Each structure stands twice: as C-alpha cells, then as structure tokens.
C-alpha cells in the first residue's frame, strides 16, 4: 500500500491529508494557535469540587473550566501531589523521581473531596479537546509519547501493545524494558517497537525521561494556569503515530515546517528522510493533488459509492446515524437477499473510511439494508470489523440486530471534522439573480485596476479554470492585453474549488488582498 501525507500550512490553520493508494483516508484541520491539544500538559488550579459528580472543574486557561473526574486521577495521585509540592516549594534542586518514595494508591472507589480542594494546584493532561459547549476533559495520569514507547511517571507497569501478537517478542520486549527503565516510571511499548534493538529503545527512553525532567525544572517559573509541556506540532504527532515503511511521500507547502518534519523524520526513521518534499508551485497544494475534489465529494450529507449505492450521514449532538441505500443498483443481483448483502459489504468499507475521515466519535448507528439470513448478517458484521482494524481510535462494534441495525462506539477525543460542502453563490449571495455574465470580465478588470493601484508587486488572480482558459485564449489573449495595459505582472491561477463566477486576489505570500 502506498501512503502519502500532504500538509497545507496557512497563518490561520494547519490542514493535513493522509491518503492510501491516492484515496483520502484521513483529514486533520487545526487552528495554528490551538493551545488545547490532546497530550498537552498543564499546571492548573482547581476551581470547584463537585461531590455529586465525583469530579472537579479545573482552570486551564480555556474559556470554560476543564473537567477532571475522580477515576481520571490515577491510583498514584497522592504521590504525584506530594512530588509536585516538593518541586514547587524547592528553592534549588529537587529529588529525582526514581529516588522518590511513593505513597500508597488512592481508594479506587473514593470521593473527589478526599483528595482535591478548591484553589489547589494540579498537574494535568488534556485527554479530550473542547467539544461543542464542553471544556477539555483532563487526566492526572501523565503520559509522554515517543515513537516506540510511552513514558508514564509514578507507575512501575510495563505494557506491550496488543497488536504485537508473537508471545516470544512480547516477552523479549517486556524483559528488555524492565532491565533499562528506572524505578517509578511505567512504560507502554508501542506496536512499531516490534523487533527494535535495545540501543534504540534505551536511547528513546532516556530522551523521554529528559523531557519529563526539563518540564519539572520549568514548573517553578510557571504561574498556573499555563502549559507545562506542549504536545508535538500536529504534523509531527501524526507522523509519530502512523509512520511506517509503506510511506512513499510527504509533501509540505511551508519551508519552515518542511525543515522541522525533515529533521523529525531523520530522528525516527533516517532511511525515510528523502520522502519529505517541499511543494513550491503556485497552485494550492490540495488542488494539485486532488484533495480538494475528494473533500467536496466525501463530506456531504450524501456519499455516493460504486454501482449506484449511497450513504446518508446525519450527525446530531447525541449520536450519528448512517443509512445505507442500494440506489439504482437494486436490479443488479439475481435476488433481493444477494443484492442487499453485496450493497451492505460495499457500504461497510466506505463507512469505516468515513468514520476515520470525519473523525466521528461517540455512538454511531448504521441502518443496513434488511437481510433475512443470519449467515449474511454475520458476514457483514465480520466485514465491518475487518475494515475497522486500520482505525487507530478505540472502538467497539456490536453484531447486527434483527432490525438490521449495527451499533458502533468510537472514542471521541476531539470535535468531529465537519466541512461544509454546499456553497452560497458568491456572485448573487444566494438571491438567485446575477448581473449579466457578458459584463463579468469587465468587472474583474475594474477590480484588478483598483488592486494594482493599491498594492505593489505581482498580483495573483485566483479564478475558476474555465474563466482562466478564456482569459488566456488566443495569441493576443485578454491576460496579455492586461499586462500591456497596466505594465504590471499579473498571474492567473486556476482554482477548481471556486464557483463559476468567483474570483479573489492574492499577493506573493499567499495572503488575500481585500477589495
């Protein structure tokens, strides 16, 4: 399988497309200044303890208080609290965690008021990003993720990824990690660590411990609420989690991020450094690689599939409902049962893809086409399980009910990716009436003249490809006449995501010039 990562960077946000065999599998969008990403560690203040919820509301600097449940404190919370107080109150050096004497575990079924009180300083990590009207969800069980290992302070447990199935390899890794890890540090061994040499794992473990200790040193200079340690930037974090030998290319349209990613790849997989490529063409990167077109086709309410079948996807606050329809395929098979089974199996693959693509979490109910045979229902259930194996997010799938409904739960740690595919006409503003199209080129020329008088340097006119073709038609084209008339360089860029009579002006930095 050929996998590619296409990264688009702007001043406002970061967009990352992950493709498998040129098909869009995941899309990640994040604001450039997002400060509440899963994995970020905060020094925070307890605002209010809620005994009825057995939880506390914590100030991490977000507009809404974050939520910390008793079960998310972790068994070694008392040890963490004592150690944190030692650090914050020490004037010079503080003890190393491996030399620290831990306290007994807290009561598994205890009350939040027994361990937390208002105004208390706590060290917490974002477990779920803010979603809808809710603030972030927190955990006090700190973990620091690396490429092969995840470090868990205040624990002594060594866990091996369930995806490493070889019992011999599991025993080797467990024995190896136990021999190199210091006391009071737990470790989760990730799937990519399979067959890794001890030197590689030892070096990464030491790096993670150094990150932990540097964060502790900086805590004395931090006034809560504040970030104690930020997660990797989004592109690097995604690469850390999904990078494998099947990756063929990583394209980035920002020179600074390109350099960062190349350095990061050199650390985690030196043999793959050459696959990182800087994209410097004028056509937007998502347009050039066909990502924009796939987004428009895949993010609507209706998703069309092969042979005429289609899905209807409806998202609500409580759950997501997916309806499977055979469309014009109903006469393809010899009988209704065979047709229903074939459509349902095709749909299972697309549904698994859509859940990853839109990052849909919570409860998902799929209404498959009715099948009378229990064997066929089992076949569709197994098919869905197989397609969901590639999904890194925790999920659970129940067999089809007698009504043809399948229930899926998928962990929700950030808002679902929601891209509006319907567009309001930029020319008529939704009224349905436009000025005569014969005057459109004159309108563009008038705006262009104004822009050339207001801004220095080359002007980039982004316009629909059909209009771009018209402007460049002939030996003495309209574009060439503009150049002679205004004595300035004007670049015309075809943009497939624009509606027919839409146009915008940009400077050489890619910033839109306001009319």
């Amino acid at each position: 399988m050929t996998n590619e990562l296409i990264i688009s960077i702007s001043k406002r946000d970061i967009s990352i497309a992950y493709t498998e065999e040129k098909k869009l599998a995941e899309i990640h969008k994040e604001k450039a200044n997002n400060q509440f990403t899963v994995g970020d560690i905060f020094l925070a203040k307890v605002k209010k303890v809620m005994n009825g919820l057995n939880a506390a509301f914590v100030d991490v600097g977000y507009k809404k208080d974050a939520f910390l449940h008793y079960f998310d404190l972790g068994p070694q919370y008392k040890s963490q609290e004592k150690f944190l107080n030692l650090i914050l109150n020490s004037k010079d050096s503080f003890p190393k965690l491996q030399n620290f004497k831990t306290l007994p575990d807290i009561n598994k079924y205890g009350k939040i008021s027994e361990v937390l009180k208002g105004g208390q300083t706590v060290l917490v990590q974002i477990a779920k990003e803010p979603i809808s009207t809710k603030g972030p969800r927190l955990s006090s069980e700190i973990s620091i993720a690396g490429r092969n290992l995840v470090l868990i302070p205040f624990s002594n447990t060594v866990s091996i990824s369930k995806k490493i199935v070889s019992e011999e390899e599991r025993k080797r890794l467990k024995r190896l990690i136990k021999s190199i890890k210091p006391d009071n540090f737990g470790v989760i061994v990730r799937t990519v660590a399979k067959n890794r040499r001890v030197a590689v794992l030892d070096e990464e473990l030491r790096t993670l411990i150094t990150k932990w200790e540097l964060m502790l040193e900086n805590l004395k200079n931090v006034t809560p609420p504040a970030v104690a340690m930020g997660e990797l930037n989004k592109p690097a974090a995604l690469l850390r989690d999904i990078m494998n030998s099947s990756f063929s290319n990583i394209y980035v349209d920002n020179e600074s991020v390109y350099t960062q990613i190349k350095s990061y790849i050199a650390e985690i997989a030196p043999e793959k450094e050459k696959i990182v490529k800087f994209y410097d063409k004028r056509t937007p990167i998502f347009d050039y690689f066909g990502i924009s077109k796939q987004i428009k086709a895949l993010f609507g309410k209706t998703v069309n599939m092969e042979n005429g079948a289609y899905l209807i996807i409806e998202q609500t606050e409580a759950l997501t409902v997916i309806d499977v329809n055979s469309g014009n395929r109903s006469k393809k098979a010899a009988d209704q049962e065979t047709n229903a089974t074939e459509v349902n199996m095709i749909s299972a693959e697309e549904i698994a893809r859509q859940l990853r693509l839109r990052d849909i979490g919570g409860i998902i109910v799929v209404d498959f086409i009715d099948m009378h045979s229990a064997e066929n229902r089992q076949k569709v259930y197994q098919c869905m399980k197989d397609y969901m194996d590639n999904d890194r997010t925790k999920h659970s799938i129940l067999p089809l009910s007698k009504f043809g409904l399948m229930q899926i739960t998928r962990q929700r740690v950030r808002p679902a990716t929601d891209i509006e595919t319907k567009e309001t006409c930029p020319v008529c503003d939704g009224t349905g009436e436009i000025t005569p199209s014969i005057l459109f080129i004159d309108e563009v020329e008038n705006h262009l003249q104004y822009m050339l008088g207001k801004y220095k340097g080359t002007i980039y006119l982004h316009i629909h490809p059909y209009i771009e073709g018209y402007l460049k038609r002939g030996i003495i084209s309209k574009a060439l006449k503009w150049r002679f008339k205004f004595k300035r360089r004007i670049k015309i860029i075809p943009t497939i995501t624009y509606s027919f009579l839409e146009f915008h002006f940009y400077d050489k930095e890619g910033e839109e010039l306001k009319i």
Side-chain angles (χ1 to χ4, degrees):
M1 183 180 285
T2 303
N3 299 337
E4 292 184 331
L5 213 60
I6 297 149
I7 303 169
S8 174
I9 309 290
S10 72
K11 290 184 178 179
R12 293 184 300 276
D13 52 37
I14 300 167
S15 300
I16 305 167
Y18 172 53
T19 65
E20 295 172 349
E21 300 293 348
K22 303 295 182 183
K23 280 188 171 183
L24 186 61
E26 294 180 27
I27 183 81
H28 300 265
K29 282 182 175 285
E30 187 176 284
K31 289 182 180 177
N33 60 350
N34 186 15
Q35 298 177 331
F36 301 94
T37 303
V38 171
D40 286 349
I41 301 172
F42 282 79
L43 190 66
K45 284 273 188 189
V46 177
K47 288 289 288 292
K48 196 184 296 181
V49 175
M50 305 293 288
N51 288 320
L53 297 172
N54 205 18
F57 287 102
V58 180
D59 181 12
V60 292
Y62 187 66
K63 59 187 176 184
K64 290 197 175 245
D65 290 335
F67 185 79
L68 175 63
H69 196 274
Y70 183 84
F71 293 151
D72 294 321
L73 290 173
Q76 278 289 309
Y77 178 75
K78 279 292 182 185
S79 298
Q80 192 212 82
E81 181 188 9
K82 181 182 175 183
F83 191 71
L84 180 62
N85 288 331
L86 277 174
I87 292 163
L88 296 178
N89 296 323
S90 65
K91 292 183 179 177
D92 299 312
S93 61
F94 51 84
K96 297 276 188 182
L97 182 55
Q98 49 265 48
N99 302 324
F100 176 71
K101 187 174 181 181
T102 57
L103 300 175
D105 290 359
I106 62 173
N107 180 4
K108 188 176 181 180
Y109 302 104
K111 298 293 182 185
I112 193 82
S113 55
E114 296 169 0
V115 288
L116 288 182
K117 60 182 183 295
Q120 184 175 334
T121 301
V122 288
L123 191 66
V124 290
Q125 190 166 29
I126 303 286
K128 284 186 181 181
E129 292 178 13
I131 297 173
S132 186
T133 59
K134 301 173 184 175
R137 179 150 185 167
L138 306 175
S139 171
S140 284
E141 286 192 275
I142 306 299
S143 61
I144 303 172
R147 171 70 174 151
N148 301 290
L149 308 172
V150 179
L151 183 72
I152 305 173
F154 305 101
S155 171
N156 274 302
T157 306
V158 175
S159 305
I160 312 296
S161 167
K162 290 179 182 176
K163 290 185 179 178
I164 299 177
V165 293
S166 165
E167 196 57 39
E168 186 179 339
E169 178 62 6
R170 292 176 69 86
K171 286 179 180 176
R172 181 189 80 89
L173 288 168
K174 196 160 196 172
R175 187 172 61 248
L176 189 156
I177 296 299
K178 281 186 173 179
S179 69
I180 61 175
K181 82 167 190 66
D183 287 340
N184 297 330
F185 284 104
V187 175
I188 298 172
V189 181
R190 309 182 75 170
T191 309
V192 290
K194 183 181 177 182
N195 299 325
R196 286 281 194 270
R197 293 181 295 109
V198 62
V200 174
L201 300 180
D202 183 53
E203 183 182 357
E204 183 168 309
L205 182 62
R206 291 175 186 277
T207 301
L208 294 175
I209 292 172
T210 301
K211 283 179 73 175
W212 162 256
E213 290 177 344
L214 284 172
M215 182 195 75
L216 296 179
E217 285 180 18
N218 293 331
L219 285 181
K220 287 186 282 188
N221 304 319
V222 169
T223 303
V227 178
M229 181 194 295
E231 172 65 297
L232 287 169
N233 60 60
K234 191 72 174 180
L238 192 64
L239 282 170
R240 179 192 65 200
D241 295 339
I242 68 174
M243 180 75 180
N244 57 49
S245 58
S246 68
F247 263 65
S248 56
N249 293 299
I250 299 169
Y251 297 98
V252 193
D253 66 356
N254 178 283
E255 201 160 1
S256 171
V257 177
Y258 160 76
T259 305
Q260 291 172 24
I261 289 176
K262 194 158 188 177
S263 301
Y264 184 67
I265 293 290
E267 287 178 24
I268 66 170
E271 72 282 2
K272 287 281 184 181
E273 189 180 351
K274 290 181 181 178
I275 70 173
V276 186
K277 295 168 184 175
F278 177 55
Y279 177 86
D280 59 356
K281 295 180 174 62
R282 289 301 309 179
T283 305
I285 189 168
F286 274 16
D287 290 0
Y288 183 83
F289 288 102
I291 302 300
S292 298
K293 186 176 180 180
Q294 290 192 60
I295 288 172
K296 292 289 184 185
L298 294 169
F299 273 89
K301 178 181 173 181
T302 303
V303 178
N304 294 308
M305 297 179 291
E306 59 185 80
N307 299 328
Y310 64 94
L311 304 175
I312 301 290
I313 302 176
E314 294 273 11
Q315 288 182 255
T316 70
E317 185 76 19
L319 53 80
T320 299
V321 180
I322 302 176
D323 183 31
V324 177
N325 295 274
S326 59
N328 58 16
R329 187 194 155 87
S330 54
K331 296 180 181 177
K332 296 276 182 179
D335 60 85
Q336 192 276 336
E337 181 77 6
T338 305
N339 181 69
T341 305
E342 288 179 3
V343 171
N344 287 340
M345 292 179 73
I346 291 168
S347 301
E349 181 178 9
E350 185 59 37
I351 289 165
R353 180 188 180 197
Q354 286 288 330
L355 296 184
R356 286 175 66 194
L357 191 60
R358 303 183 189 218
D359 203 7
I360 297 172
I363 300 170
I364 300 115
V365 177
V366 184
D367 182 10
F368 283 105
I369 300 170
D370 287 344
M371 296 171 291
H372 301 294
S373 164
E375 183 184 348
N376 286 336
R377 288 198 296 270
Q378 179 61 29
K379 198 185 291 184
V380 171
Y381 169 62
Q382 189 58 51
C383 192
M384 177 62 83
K385 286 185 71 175
D386 292 342
Y387 286 129
M388 291 286 282
D389 276 347
N390 291 329
D391 196 333
R392 302 188 312 278
T393 303
K394 290 180 184 176
H395 59 271
S396 177
I397 307 170
L398 295 182
L400 276 79
S401 72
K402 63 180 180 180
F403 300 116
L405 300 177
M406 177 183 284
Q407 296 173 70
I408 303 171
T409 61
R410 190 171 181 274
Q411 187 181 27
R412 189 202 304 247
V413 296
R414 55 180 59 87
T417 304
D418 184 21
I419 299 174
E420 184 59 58
T421 56
K422 290 183 179 178
E423 302 169 351
T424 300
C425 174
V427 182
C428 72
D429 290 326
T431 62
E433 296 178 349
I434 63 171
T435 54
S437 55
I438 196 170
L439 302 177
F440 175 67
I441 297 301
D442 293 337
E443 182 187 353
V444 174
E445 185 172 336
N446 289 338
H447 285 302
L448 177 62
Q449 187 170 7
Y450 170 76
M451 285 296 178
L452 291 169
K454 188 176 179 182
Y455 298 101
K456 304 291 183 184
T458 303
I459 297 284
Y460 294 86
L461 168 61
H462 287 239
I463 205 158
H464 191 278
Y466 286 175
I467 306 298
E468 182 251 2
Y470 172 78
L471 292 174
K472 291 183 176 179
R473 186 185 63 181
I475 298 173
I476 305 177
S477 65
K478 190 71 177 175
L480 189 60
K481 288 177 181 176
W482 282 350
R483 188 163 184 178
F484 289 141
K485 179 179 178 179
F486 299 119
K487 297 181 173 56
R488 287 274 294 281
R489 195 175 178 203
I490 302 146
K491 292 280 284 183
I492 302 174
I493 310 296
T495 307
I496 59 173
T497 54
Y498 283 11
S499 58
F500 191 61
L501 299 181
E502 183 179 359
F503 64 95
H504 297 279
F505 297 99
Y506 291 83
D507 62 17
K508 66 177 181 180
E509 304 298 331
E511 286 295 305
E512 185 176 356
L513 305 176
K514 298 298 180 184
I515 296 173

